[in-house]
Amino acid sequence: MADQQRPEGNASGQMAELDETDRRIVDELRANGRMSMRALAAALHISRASAYTRVARLERDGVITGYTAIVDPQRYGHTLSAYVYLKVQQQAWKRLQNRLADMPEVDHAALVSGEHDIVLLVRTGDAAALRDLVLTRLQDMPEVVSTQTELIFDDIRLAARAARTPPA
């Protein structure tokens, strides 16, 4: 019989072995991270003990890395969103990643292939704040060779989620 134990925290970086119930648990918690174990177990037709055990394993294995509030950027005061593409000096992304992560306007940052090196999803209160972010704070970084900014007119995923959510 093969050893069924998994490494603590799945430190190997390999994909965790998930069955259909695990995937359904993740789907339910992605839709509602505040769901009680009782409600989760009922939705999946499993026992509460099984729900607790499986969620604990998913957390331990790093599949579930945390729980967060999903914020409407408009209502939060971030009325302008944009994608900012950065071309950076070779190997500069290693030096930039912590500075970019520390910028409160940066909602998401990714190292990408193609014409640009890094893409940022940024959210600001207005055009002046976006201008300052791009033209002053980002372009003044010596590692940044160039930037390209594309405004977001509508966030389709947020709009679709709002349409599915009944009013409180």
Side-chain angles (χ1 to χ4, degrees):
M1 180 181 232
D3 184 9
Q4 296 291 328
Q5 291 186 344
R6 297 165 197 253
E8 185 67 24
N10 199 8
S12 67
Q14 294 182 0
M15 187 171 76
E17 293 181 31
L18 305 177
D19 64 16
E20 186 60 30
T21 302
D22 291 333
R23 292 183 188 285
R24 290 176 52 216
I25 287 171
V26 171
D27 290 344
E28 290 288 335
L29 291 176
R30 287 184 72 195
N32 180 1
R34 296 181 67 181
M35 175 181 270
S36 70
M37 286 297 159
R38 174 180 287 162
L40 178 63
L44 300 178
H45 306 290
I46 61 175
S47 70
R48 275 189 289 171
S50 179
Y52 275 109
T53 302
R54 285 174 175 267
V55 169
R57 181 179 41 79
L58 291 166
E59 290 171 344
R60 183 189 68 237
D61 288 353
V63 175
I64 296 175
T65 59
Y67 301 88
T68 187
I70 299 170
V71 177
D72 181 311
Q74 295 281 330
R75 293 181 183 190
Y76 187 66
H78 292 164
T79 57
L80 186 60
S81 297
Y83 288 110
V84 180
Y85 299 91
L86 306 178
K87 283 187 183 179
V88 299
Q89 295 171 351
Q90 194 164 6
Q91 299 300 316
W93 65 270
K94 292 176 185 177
R95 293 188 303 272
L96 282 176
Q97 59 187 337
N98 289 336
R99 279 190 281 163
L100 295 173
D102 289 340
M103 293 180 155
E105 301 89 348
V106 176
D107 196 29
H108 179 80
L111 181 67
V112 297
S113 64
E115 182 180 346
H116 301 96
D117 301 305
I118 297 172
V119 62
L120 307 175
L121 169 58
V122 300
R123 300 189 191 276
T124 63
D126 56 31
L130 178 62
R131 180 184 187 284
D132 177 63
L133 174 66
V134 175
L135 298 182
T136 304
R137 294 168 51 210
L138 291 172
Q139 288 185 359
D140 281 355
M141 292 179 179
E143 300 89 350
V144 175
V145 175
S146 67
T147 64
Q148 179 180 335
T149 303
E150 295 181 359
L151 296 179
I152 297 172
F153 295 128
D154 197 6
D155 189 324
I156 296 167
R157 193 168 119 204
L158 287 176
R161 184 181 302 128
R164 289 190 309 264
T165 305

